């Protein structure tokens, strides 16, 4: 007899053991004991993240690189064991090859103890993975996808003295998708347990690895150096980090003195390796390539979505990674490829923004081809170079005999090449060359000397400007495609909105020379000088701030050293400076003896500017004593954004959620099998997302509908089994935990990106709360008449010919508030109808409270945040997440309604129903919004006209003829309400097709003629038949008579001859001799 535990009713209450109350008491004690600890460590706890291979999950110190880019078949056996579950055993469940291992740390705390305490308190790390779409929108349709997961706790598989002392980590699958190689991972808590601030990691695919014969991972581009020496950084100054913004999965950084080495990172320098490149390092000097000496230094290094470029001396090399999620693996390189072998390349210039489905890199020449430029185009990993201008030099169009192109930048969407050109007299020009029309224009003649701008923040360069004796030394160009802002920099900064009229930013000193410039593409810019100074300013403004070195930096730096921060040192060297998600980061090498290291640290510009702010005050008399009254530097007290669109709706992001299956383990720990199930479920969820891109619309507008459509009714039964510990493998799969989210909770704040379709608009409301004295004048207690000037907001549109903006201001005197309602509308002028991602016009909107930039700093636990300034990118065109689909379900229902019947094919197909041709057919199509879940429809009709494939179908059997219509439906030329060119190609199964009119007429004519001929023949037969019979009888009688007479005469002749012969031989026969008889026989 088998004994089973008593069954309990279906209930959401977790099944409890008799002694489970001790667990809750322990949890309460830990909660109370950790309250003060959590408050003290509020600002210092941080998340930790590493990548683990599927077979290494549970190993605490395991760490892998993102080398494998294909799903694996390792979970099928586990899913076969899940009987009595919503899983369909006929489905093939695969998994991703990696997990994310998650933990957190706090200063002065043991990591293992922190993890155990956090788990017992109920903390669950939430992981949101965001996928960046590919550059090549011709191959991969632009789509923004994110998936939210909950990390599952698991004890390490190594040795531990007791079960409660095992090392604890949290795990989630690391999914990837086709058309994406860059993915950001946001980690935050579920709001229970210790507070750890949200942190973003980049877990990008690495296509520059290979495996040796033993299966060990090695770098394909060079040899990994295990030791990072301080000498690598003593002799090298900081250098720029160049890459395609938002699309480069790896970063590379050269500049090591006399070494062919680079820093390589696939995590935005969260970790890194030093690689010695496997290049030939040859040097070819000649009369047309005047290089004075040889150096092994990698001078220029640029990373794109799939390809790396480097320059060593005058030689240029590239290496294309193996990214099968982007293109065929045959496009990848097996070694460094040298390009432009007969050219003398003096510099590589980056192109930060992609365009036309490709990426670009610029190579500047010297020597024999001075005055020309090579444009490198990268599409699907394939690299090609084109020298421009074709047939003539830039120098021929400028004054003087010779010239030198010192810098170049390419605006891909406009096909304009901006050049900084120096002629032999020393004069610099800004030149524009259009690669489509092959035209060259001189845009601006750069002044020879620095303008005189005493006590001014900026100066418009007009003919009346006076100049100093300090020469202008232009070094480079920078163009922002989002706001059309062009900068010329050197020992000065010139700024232009139209590339022809420039403004001189007077705050930057002429004694310093800029070495490189970096941009966040969110309104912030920073420059690094030859002396390693760091200057910062906001685009659209005129104030330039020195942040390093500065008084604010000294204060912050000393405070960090007092707190024994591992990111600061007395002796350090700047390696590079770059923006990441709007935040400014330093790559710094610390020369601590015995602890030399390279670190990536945040440069808190807001905090530094707050420390640098003046503290104005006045002394006022209050009765018998004096008091200090501080003056507000910020024009407002608080700023709030309300009535803003949902972030994922505005940015057109499709969101999914996937939670781990529940387990029956008493402490909620998972094991390898339960995590394998989690892997398979996440894989299947994203597979449904990709499969949903099909021409036939499902009855329910949701990609996960078909997954559970037949099992939803049994969900209570599945939970009943789990709650009584009868579920297979001790796992419960909640069907509601794997779905698409159309309205996300907590989706607040201004979106990072807006997509606008034709004529669309959005609104934002900005509420400014004032200080107490803002609404009163200095000599009156009543309200002033210029409140709108004290709390004024400016809205700047980068392309006013494309967008219109209106601002409505309401002043609430009783609440000391000013409400600004901003509405931005597309003018229907700057984009054309096209497929998703094509013909996108990239622009931006800038919000600025007058007097706020640089003066309004909000204090948070993460540091100071600059307020009163925001730049929002706006993409005008066909937004992602829209499609046209054939609504077959409603079409069948409508067909049955109007025709009073519906006849399917003899052999039915659930995925492709049949329609009877003779019935009135009105197909319905849905314009589906995959982000919001909305749908719209329009009608259409089909005809089988002459010369069409379905015009004349000949039956081949007793069944009526059938035909498969492959139809292309488009709204181009008939729908002017959208920028989207909806194209849908789908198949409709039609049966009962009639014959064509010509064939029908032919068959009728042939049949009629045959029938008439048959009738005529019958009539003739009836009339002639008696005569035929009579003639036949007569003929037969005559024949018989002839035959009878001939027989008579033949008989008579034969009888007479026989009689005569008998009479002649009758005598001798009787009386003859024996010899006579013999002779007669012989005869």
């Amino acid at each position: 007899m088998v004994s089973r535990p008593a069954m309990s009713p279906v209930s959401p209450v977790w099944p409890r053991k008799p002694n489970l109350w001790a667990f809750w008491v322990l949890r309460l004690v830990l909660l109370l004991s950790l309250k003060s600890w959590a408050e003290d460590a509020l600002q210092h706890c941080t998340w930790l993240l590493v990548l683990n291979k599927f077979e290494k999950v549970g190993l605490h110190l395991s760490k892998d690189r993102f080398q494998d880019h294909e799903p694996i078949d390792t979970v099928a056996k586990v899913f076969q064991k899940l009987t009595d579950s919503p899983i369909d055993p006929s489905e093939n469940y695969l998994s991703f090859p990696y997990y994310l291992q998650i933990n957190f740390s706090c200063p002065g705390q043991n990591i293992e103890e922190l993890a155990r305490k956090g788990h017992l308190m109920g903390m669950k790390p939430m992981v949101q993975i965001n996928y960046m779409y590919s550059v090549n929108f011709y191959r991969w349709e632009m789509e923004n996808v994110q998936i939210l997961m909950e990390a599952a706790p698991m004890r390490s598989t190594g040795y531990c003295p007791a079960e409660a002392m095992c090392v604890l980590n949290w795990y989630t699958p690391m999914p990837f998708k086709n058309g994406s190689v860059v993915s950001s991972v946001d980690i935050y808590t579920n709001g229970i347990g210790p507070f750890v601030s949200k942190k973003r990691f980049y877990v990008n695919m690495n296509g520059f690895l290979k495996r040796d014969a033993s299966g060990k991972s090695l770098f394909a581009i060079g040899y990994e150096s295990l030791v990072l020496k301080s000498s690598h950084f003593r002799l090298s100054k900081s250098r720029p980090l160049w890459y395609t913004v938002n699309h480069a999965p790896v970063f590379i950084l050269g500049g090591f003195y006399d070494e062919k080495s680079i820093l390589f990172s696939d995590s935005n320098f969260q970790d890194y390796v030093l690689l010695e490149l496997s290049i030939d390092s040859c040097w070819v000097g000649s009369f047309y390539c005047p290089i004075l000496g040889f150096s092994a230094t990698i001078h220029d290094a640029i990373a794109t979505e799939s390809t790396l470029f480097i320059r060593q001396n005058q030689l240029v090399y590239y290496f294309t990674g193996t990214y099968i999620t982007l293109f065929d693996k045959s496009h990848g390189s097996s070694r460094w490829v040298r390009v432009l072998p007969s050219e003398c390349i003096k510099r590589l210039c980056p192109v930060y923004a992609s365009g036309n489905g490709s990426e670009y890199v610029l190579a500047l020449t010297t020597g024999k081809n001075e005055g020309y430029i090579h444009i490198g185009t990268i599409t699907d990993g394939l690299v090609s170079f084109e020298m421009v201008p074709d047939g003539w030099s830039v120098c021929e169009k400028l004054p003087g005999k010779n010239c030198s192109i010192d810098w170049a930048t390419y605006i891909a969407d406009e096909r304009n090449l901006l050049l900084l050109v120096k002629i032999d007299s020393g004069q610099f020009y800004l030149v524009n060359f259009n690669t489509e029309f092959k035209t060259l224009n001189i845009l601006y003649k750069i002044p020879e000397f620095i303008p005189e701008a005493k006590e001014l923040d900026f100066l418009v360069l007009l003919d009346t400007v006076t100049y100093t004796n300090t020469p202008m030394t232009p070094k480079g160009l920078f163009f922002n495609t989002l706001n059309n802002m062009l900068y010329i920099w050197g020992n000065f900064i010139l700024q232009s909105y139209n590339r022809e009229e420039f403004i001189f930013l007077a705050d930057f000193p002429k004694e310093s020379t800029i070495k490189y410039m970096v941009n966040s593409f969110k309104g912030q810019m920073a420059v690094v000088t030859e002396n390693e100074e760091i200057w910062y300013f906001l685009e659209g403004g005129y104030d330039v701030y020195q942040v390093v070195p500065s008084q604010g930096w000294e204060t912050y730096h000393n405070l960090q050293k007092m707190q024994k921060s591992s990111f600061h040192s007395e002796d350090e060297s700047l390696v590079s400076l770059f923006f990441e998600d709007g935040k400014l980061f330093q790559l710094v090498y610390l020369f601590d003896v015995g602890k030399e290291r390279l670190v990536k640290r945040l440069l808190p510009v807001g905090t530094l500017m707050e420390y640098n702010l003046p503290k104005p005050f006045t002394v006022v008399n209050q009765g018998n004593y004096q008091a200090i009254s501080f003056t507000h530097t910020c024009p407002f007290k608080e700023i709030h954004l309300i009535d803003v669109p949902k972030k994922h709706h505005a940015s057109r992001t499709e969101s999914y959620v996937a939670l781990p299956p529940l387990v029956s383990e008493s402490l909620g720990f998972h094991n390898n099998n339960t995590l394998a199930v989690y892997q398979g479920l996440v894989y299947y969820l994203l597979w449904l997302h990709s499969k949903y891109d099909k021409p036939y619309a499902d009855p329910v507008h949701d990609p996960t509908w078909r997954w559970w459509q037949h099992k939803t009714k049994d969900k209570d039964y599945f939970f009943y089994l789990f709650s009584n510990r009868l579920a297979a493998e001790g796992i419960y799969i909640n069907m509601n935990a794997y779905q698409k989210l159309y309205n996300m909770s907590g989706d607040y704040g201004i979106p990072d990106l807006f997509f606008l379709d034709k004529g669309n608009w959005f609104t934002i409301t900005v509420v400014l709360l004032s200080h107490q004295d803002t609404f009163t004048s200095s000599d009156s207690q009543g309200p002033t008449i210029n409140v709108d000037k004290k709390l004024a907001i400016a809205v700047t549109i980068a392309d006013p010919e494309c967008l219109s903006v209106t601002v409505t201001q309401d002043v609430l005197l009783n609440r000391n508030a000013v409400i600004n309602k901003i509405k931005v509308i597309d003018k229907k002028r700057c984009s054309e109808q096209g497929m998703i991602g094509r013909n996108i016009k990239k622009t931006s909107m800038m919000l600025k409270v007058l007097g706020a930039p640089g003066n309004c700093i909000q204090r948070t636990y993460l540091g100071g945040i600059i307020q009163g300034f925001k730049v929002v990118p706006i993409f005008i065109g066909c937004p992602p997440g829209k499609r046209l689909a054939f609504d077959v379900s409603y079409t069948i229902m409508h067909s049955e309604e109007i025709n009073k019947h519906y006849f399917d094919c003899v052999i039915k197909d659930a995925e492709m129903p049949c329609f009877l041709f003779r019935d009135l057919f009105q197909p319905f199509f849905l314009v589906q919004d995959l982000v919001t879940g909305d749908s719209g429809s329009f009608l259409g009709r089909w005809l089988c006209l002459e010369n069409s494939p379905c015009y004349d179908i000949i039956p081949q059997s007793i069944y009526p003829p059938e035909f498969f219509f492959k139809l292309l439906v488009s709204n181009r030329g008939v729908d002017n309400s959208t920028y989207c060119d909806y194209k849908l190609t789908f198949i409709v199964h039609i049966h009962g097709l009639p014959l064509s009119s010509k064939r029908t007429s032919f068959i009728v004519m042939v049949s009629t003629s045959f029938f008439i001929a048959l009738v005529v023949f019958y009539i003739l037969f009836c009339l002639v038949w008696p005569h035929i019979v009579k003639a036949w009888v007569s003929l037969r009688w005559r024949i018989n008579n002839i035959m009878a007479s001939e027989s008579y005469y033949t008989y008579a002749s034969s009888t007479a001859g026989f009689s005569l012969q008998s009479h002649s031989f009758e005598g001798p026969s009787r009386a003859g001799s024996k010899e006579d008889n013999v002779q007669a026989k012989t005869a």
Side-chain angles (χ1 to χ4, degrees):
M1 180 178 178
V2 179
S3 168
R4 295 184 179 271
M7 294 187 179
S8 61
V10 177
S11 171
V13 180
W14 190 272
R16 300 178 180 177
K17 293 183 178 180
N19 61 346
L20 197 58
W21 62 270
F23 169 74
W24 295 103
V25 173
L26 176 61
R27 183 172 176 178
L28 180 60
V29 172
L30 288 173
L31 181 63
L32 295 176
S33 63
L34 289 178
K35 180 179 180 181
S36 60
W37 162 81
E39 293 175 353
D40 294 338
L42 182 64
Q43 301 181 20
H44 307 288
C45 295
T46 184
W47 293 106
L48 305 175
L49 178 71
V50 294
L51 193 69
N52 284 169
K53 295 192 69 174
F54 185 91
E55 58 272 15
K56 293 183 181 180
V57 64
L59 299 180
H60 180 56
L61 299 178
S62 175
K63 182 180 179 181
D64 297 285
R65 294 193 179 276
F66 209 152
Q67 180 180 3
D68 299 325
H69 305 159
E70 291 182 297
I72 55 178
D73 187 8
T74 56
V75 300
K77 294 182 179 179
V78 180
F79 275 84
Q80 291 174 358
K81 300 177 183 179
L82 299 181
T83 58
D84 290 331
S85 72
I87 299 301
D88 186 355
S90 63
E91 293 289 348
N92 184 25
Y93 284 85
L94 301 178
S95 68
F96 298 101
Y98 296 101
Y99 286 95
L100 293 176
Q101 184 189 98
I102 302 167
N103 217 311
F104 70 99
S105 66
C106 300
Q109 301 287 330
N110 182 276
I111 295 180
E112 299 177 9
E113 292 181 2
L114 289 173
R116 288 194 294 270
K117 291 178 181 178
H119 173 66
L120 293 176
M121 294 173 64
M123 185 184 77
K124 296 179 181 179
M126 305 302 296
V127 178
Q128 181 174 286
I129 301 179
N130 308 280
Y131 300 97
M132 176 55 63
Y133 54 84
S134 174
V135 165
N136 189 359
F137 48 74
Y138 295 104
R139 184 181 182 93
W140 300 103
E141 185 177 274
M142 178 189 290
E143 64 173 0
N144 296 319
V145 179
Q146 65 182 20
I147 180 170
L148 176 64
M149 297 179 289
E150 180 187 285
M154 179 180 178
R155 289 187 291 253
S156 64
T157 57
Y159 169 77
C160 52
E163 182 179 4
M165 298 297 292
C166 293
V167 178
L168 170 67
N169 291 291
W170 288 269
Y171 293 89
T172 67
M174 179 55 212
F176 51 81
K177 64 181 293 293
N178 287 332
S180 177
V181 294
V182 176
S183 54
S184 61
V185 180
D186 297 331
I187 305 179
Y188 56 94
T189 69
N190 61 341
I192 303 176
F195 176 79
V196 186
S197 59
K198 184 177 181 179
K199 186 175 181 179
R200 169 166 290 188
F201 297 85
Y202 280 89
V203 184
N204 302 328
M205 290 185 172
N206 192 335
F208 302 94
L209 296 169
K210 63 180 181 180
R211 299 190 187 277
D212 59 10
S214 63
K216 181 181 178 181
S217 294
L218 301 174
F219 279 92
I221 60 177
Y223 307 99
E224 182 177 354
S225 177
L226 301 179
V227 179
L228 194 63
K229 301 178 182 179
S230 59
S231 59
H232 291 142
F233 303 94
R234 288 288 187 188
L235 301 176
S236 303
K237 298 294 184 179
S238 71
R239 49 273 199 194
L241 186 63
W242 288 340
Y243 55 92
T244 304
V245 176
N246 297 329
H247 292 282
V250 301
F251 289 170
I252 57 175
L253 192 64
F256 293 100
Y257 178 73
D258 207 22
E259 293 191 20
K260 56 177 183 179
S261 300
I262 61 171
L263 283 174
F264 180 98
S265 176
D266 55 10
S267 59
N268 288 28
F269 281 107
Q270 196 69 32
D271 59 5
Y272 55 87
V273 293
L274 180 67
L275 298 177
E276 181 182 349
L277 302 183
S278 53
I279 56 177
D280 48 20
S281 296
C282 62
W283 174 56
V284 181
S286 63
F287 69 94
Y288 66 84
C289 192
I291 294 182
L292 299 179
F294 169 80
S295 173
T297 305
I298 304 299
H299 296 284
D300 301 323
I302 302 175
T304 67
E305 186 179 49
S306 61
T307 308
L308 307 179
F309 292 86
I310 60 170
R311 180 182 68 87
Q312 184 191 47
N313 299 312
Q314 84 283 13
L315 308 179
V316 177
Y317 301 84
Y318 77 86
F319 194 106
T320 299
T322 304
Y323 289 104
I324 61 176
T325 59
L326 293 180
F327 44 74
D328 189 85
K329 62 174 61 178
S330 62
H331 293 187
S333 303
S334 59
R335 58 179 178 81
W336 286 96
V337 180
R338 183 181 171 189
V339 291
L340 306 175
S342 61
E343 297 292 334
C344 186
I345 305 301
K346 64 180 179 181
R347 173 173 291 155
L348 292 180
C349 293
V351 179
Y352 297 100
S354 62
N356 306 313
S358 301
E359 298 168 282
Y360 304 91
V361 64
L362 307 177
L364 307 185
T365 64
T366 187
K368 66 173 183 178
N369 284 328
E370 190 79 64
Y372 294 87
I373 188 170
H374 294 270
I375 302 179
T377 304
I378 308 98
T379 307
D380 279 348
L382 302 178
V383 180
S384 62
F385 277 88
E386 177 189 8
M387 187 174 74
V388 295
D390 184 14
W392 51 275
S393 169
V394 173
C395 301
E396 299 176 10
K397 306 296 182 179
L398 296 176
K401 297 181 179 180
N402 300 315
C403 75
S404 172
I405 302 177
D406 287 1
W407 198 274
T409 186
Y410 187 54
I411 310 173
D413 293 334
E414 301 178 5
R415 293 180 171 82
N416 282 326
L417 192 63
L418 298 180
L419 307 176
L420 179 63
V421 186
K422 179 183 179 181
I423 62 176
D424 47 12
S425 64
Q427 177 66 52
F428 284 88
Y429 289 91
L430 175 65
V431 177
N432 180 86
F433 176 77
N434 186 275
T435 59
E436 182 179 6
F437 301 104
K438 313 299 180 184
T439 57
L440 186 142
N441 298 314
I442 299 178
L443 298 179
Y444 186 67
K445 180 180 179 181
I446 301 176
E448 297 182 13
F449 299 97
I450 300 292
E452 184 69 52
K454 291 183 179 180
E455 300 180 356
L456 295 176
D457 293 332
F458 67 94
L459 182 65
V460 180
L461 297 184
L462 302 175
D463 295 337
T464 57
V465 172
T466 58
Y467 294 89
T468 65
N469 295 327
T470 305
M472 267 192 172
T473 309
K475 292 290 186 179
L477 304 173
F478 186 91
F479 183 80
N480 189 339
T481 57
L482 293 178
N483 57 16
N484 300 322
M485 199 78 73
L486 174 66
Y487 296 92
I488 306 176
W489 50 267
N491 59 341
F492 61 92
I493 300 177
L494 294 183
Q495 165 182 292
S496 175
Y497 292 90
N498 57 10
R499 309 172 207 175
E500 296 180 355
E501 299 172 342
F502 284 83
I503 298 174
F504 173 71
L505 303 185
D507 286 348
F508 186 79
K510 59 182 180 296
E511 294 78 17
S512 298
T513 301
I514 297 174
K515 183 164 49 175
Y516 59 91
M517 177 178 285
V518 294
N519 193 305
S520 68
F521 292 92
K522 294 186 177 182
Q524 309 165 69
M525 294 202 69
V527 299
V528 178
T529 68
E530 298 288 351
N531 298 325
E532 307 296 352
E533 300 171 348
I534 300 177
W535 294 73
Y536 174 90
F537 64 97
L538 300 175
E539 292 189 89
Y542 312 109
D543 297 318
V544 184
Y545 309 94
Q546 183 177 0
V547 293
V548 178
S550 66
Q551 182 61 42
W553 168 253
E554 292 298 325
T555 302
Y556 174 78
H557 187 54
N558 290 332
L559 289 174
Q560 295 299 312
K561 289 187 294 183
M562 291 173 60
Q563 297 176 3
K564 298 182 180 180
S565 171
S566 59
F567 294 95
H568 292 261
S569 173
E570 291 286 351
D571 189 8
E572 59 185 38
S573 176
L574 178 65
V575 179
S576 189
L577 187 76
F578 60 96
F579 280 98
E580 179 184 303
D581 299 317
K583 298 178 181 178
L584 188 59
F585 286 88
Q586 292 175 299
L587 201 60
V588 182
Y589 191 83
L590 309 180
F591 294 99
D592 292 338
V593 178
K595 297 181 180 179
E596 295 88 351
R597 60 198 181 279
L598 181 68
V599 298
K600 171 189 174 182
R601 73 185 183 197
L602 176 68
L603 185 62
V605 178
T607 301
L608 302 185
M609 294 179 66
E610 182 184 13
Y611 291 163
N612 284 332
L613 280 177
K615 306 298 187 292
F617 64 92
T618 58
V619 179
V620 296
N621 295 321
Q622 295 184 356
N624 298 328
Y625 60 91
Q626 293 181 331
I628 297 177
S629 175
F630 290 93
T631 304
H632 301 292
T633 58
C634 182
F636 56 84
K637 182 180 180 180
E638 295 180 17
I639 183 172
H640 300 280
L641 296 174
I642 61 175
D643 299 333
V644 296
K646 290 183 177 294
K647 282 188 175 182
H648 75 291
H649 287 180
S651 60
R652 307 298 302 166
T653 302
E654 299 180 55
S655 303
Y656 291 86
V657 63
L659 305 181
L662 297 180
V663 294
S664 57
E665 206 273 343
S666 59
L667 293 178
F669 289 118
H670 285 249
N671 54 41
N672 292 64
N673 287 342
T674 59
L675 287 181
V677 172
Y678 196 13
Q679 275 274 12
L681 294 173
V682 171
Y683 173 85
Y684 199 80
L685 178 64
L686 291 182
W687 178 79
L688 288 174
H689 164 77
S690 62
K691 185 183 178 182
Y692 195 63
D693 187 14
K694 59 182 181 178
Y696 278 67
D698 286 337
V700 178
H701 179 28
D702 191 285
T704 63
W705 170 77
R706 289 188 179 272
W707 195 2
W708 313 116
Q709 60 173 326
H710 301 302
K711 296 295 183 70
T712 305
K713 62 181 182 300
D714 301 324
K715 62 180 180 180
D716 291 338
Y717 170 70
F718 297 138
F719 187 79
Y720 170 79
L721 294 177
F722 174 74
S723 61
N724 289 278
R725 299 183 178 274
L726 299 177
E729 301 296 314
I731 296 177
Y732 171 67
I733 299 175
N734 183 5
M735 291 176 277
N736 294 330
Y738 303 89
Q739 59 180 333
K740 190 170 187 179
L741 302 177
Y742 296 105
N743 291 287
M744 297 182 63
S745 60
D747 190 14
Y748 55 87
I750 189 169
D752 295 327
L753 173 65
F754 280 93
F755 275 94
L756 285 183
D757 201 351
K758 192 172 187 178
N760 285 6
W761 51 271
F762 66 88
T763 60
I764 296 176
T765 301
V766 181
V767 180
L768 299 175
L769 302 181
S770 71
H771 301 289
Q772 293 297 325
D773 57 350
T774 302
F775 284 78
T776 58
S777 61
S778 58
D779 56 353
S780 173
Q781 298 299 319
T784 61
I785 61 174
N786 57 351
V787 173
D788 55 337
K789 296 181 179 179
K790 291 187 176 182
L791 290 179
I793 187 170
V795 182
T796 304
I797 298 297
D799 295 278
E801 70 277 6
C802 302
L803 299 172
S804 65
V805 59
T806 58
V807 180
T808 304
Q809 187 181 73
D810 293 329
V811 180
L812 303 180
L813 296 178
N814 59 337
R815 294 175 180 251
N816 290 342
V818 176
I819 300 178
N820 300 274
K821 296 181 180 180
I822 303 169
K823 185 175 184 179
V824 179
I825 308 174
D826 172 54
K827 288 185 175 181
K828 307 179 182 181
R829 297 178 182 174
C830 292
S831 185
E832 298 177 356
Q833 197 169 29
M835 304 296 289
I836 292 176
R838 307 182 189 181
N839 303 325
I840 294 290
K841 172 61 178 179
K842 300 176 182 178
T843 183
S844 65
M845 173 188 67
M846 182 182 67
L847 304 177
K848 182 169 64 174
V849 180
L850 301 186
N855 295 318
C856 299
I857 310 296
Q858 180 187 14
R859 293 184 181 181
T860 69
Y861 63 92
L862 295 176
I865 299 178
I866 299 177
Q867 287 191 309
F869 179 85
K870 183 69 175 181
V871 172
V872 181
I874 301 174
F875 286 7
I876 305 174
C878 181
K882 286 190 175 183
R883 70 163 189 167
L884 184 66
F886 176 40
D887 190 359
V888 62
S889 300
Y890 189 79
T891 300
I892 292 176
M893 182 175 63
H894 185 71
S895 178
E896 186 175 3
E897 179 181 351
I898 61 177
N899 297 298
K900 308 306 179 184
H901 62 261
Y902 170 70
F903 297 111
D904 205 341
C905 287
V906 178
I907 302 177
K908 299 181 179 180
D909 185 355
E911 292 291 332
M912 189 181 297
C914 280
F915 296 93
L916 187 62
F917 187 84
R918 64 181 177 85
D919 287 346
L920 180 60
F921 181 63
Q922 293 182 352
F924 287 81
F925 300 92
L926 294 176
V927 179
Q928 294 183 327
D929 193 319
L930 304 180
V931 176
T932 64
D934 298 332
S935 294
S937 61
F938 66 90
L939 298 175
R941 186 175 180 179
W942 297 327
L943 298 175
C944 283
L945 301 179
E946 187 174 358
N947 299 324
S948 67
C950 65
Y951 176 67
D952 190 12
I953 305 297
I954 303 175
Q956 303 294 329
S957 65
I958 62 174
Y959 297 110
E962 298 179 3
F963 198 80
F964 291 89
F965 283 81
K966 187 175 183 181
L967 303 176
L968 172 63
V969 181
S970 175
N971 67 333
R972 175 174 286 273
V974 296
D975 183 8
N976 297 322
S977 64
T978 178
Y979 288 127
C980 293
D981 180 8
Y982 296 120
K983 287 185 178 180
L984 171 65
T985 302
F986 66 102
I987 297 176
V988 176
H989 194 179
I990 302 295
H991 72 118
L993 273 79
L995 298 173
S996 66
S997 58
K998 289 184 178 180
R999 186 173 296 275
T1000 302
S1001 301
F1002 174 77
I1003 293 175
V1004 170
M1005 292 176 63
V1006 171
S1007 301
T1008 304
S1009 300
F1010 179 78
F1011 177 76
I1012 294 174
L1014 186 62
V1015 171
V1016 171
F1017 177 78
Y1018 176 76
I1019 294 173
L1020 293 176
F1021 180 79
C1022 292
L1023 294 176
V1024 177
W1025 178 252
H1027 300 283
I1028 295 175
V1029 172
K1030 183 177 180 180
W1032 170 253
V1033 172
S1034 176
L1035 178 62
R1036 183 179 177 184
W1037 180 80
R1038 291 183 180 181
I1039 293 174
N1040 289 335
N1041 289 338
I1042 294 173
M1043 291 178 62
S1045 61
E1046 288 181 354
S1047 298
Y1048 172 78
Y1049 289 116
T1050 302
Y1051 176 77
S1053 299
S1054 299
T1055 305
F1058 180 73
S1059 301
L1060 291 174
Q1061 187 176 9
S1062 300
H1063 290 293
S1064 298
F1065 288 97
E1066 184 179 0
S1069 299
R1070 295 179 180 177
S1073 62
K1074 183 176 182 180
E1075 291 78 3
D1076 295 333
N1077 293 333
V1078 172
Q1079 291 178 356
K1081 292 181 179 179
T1082 303

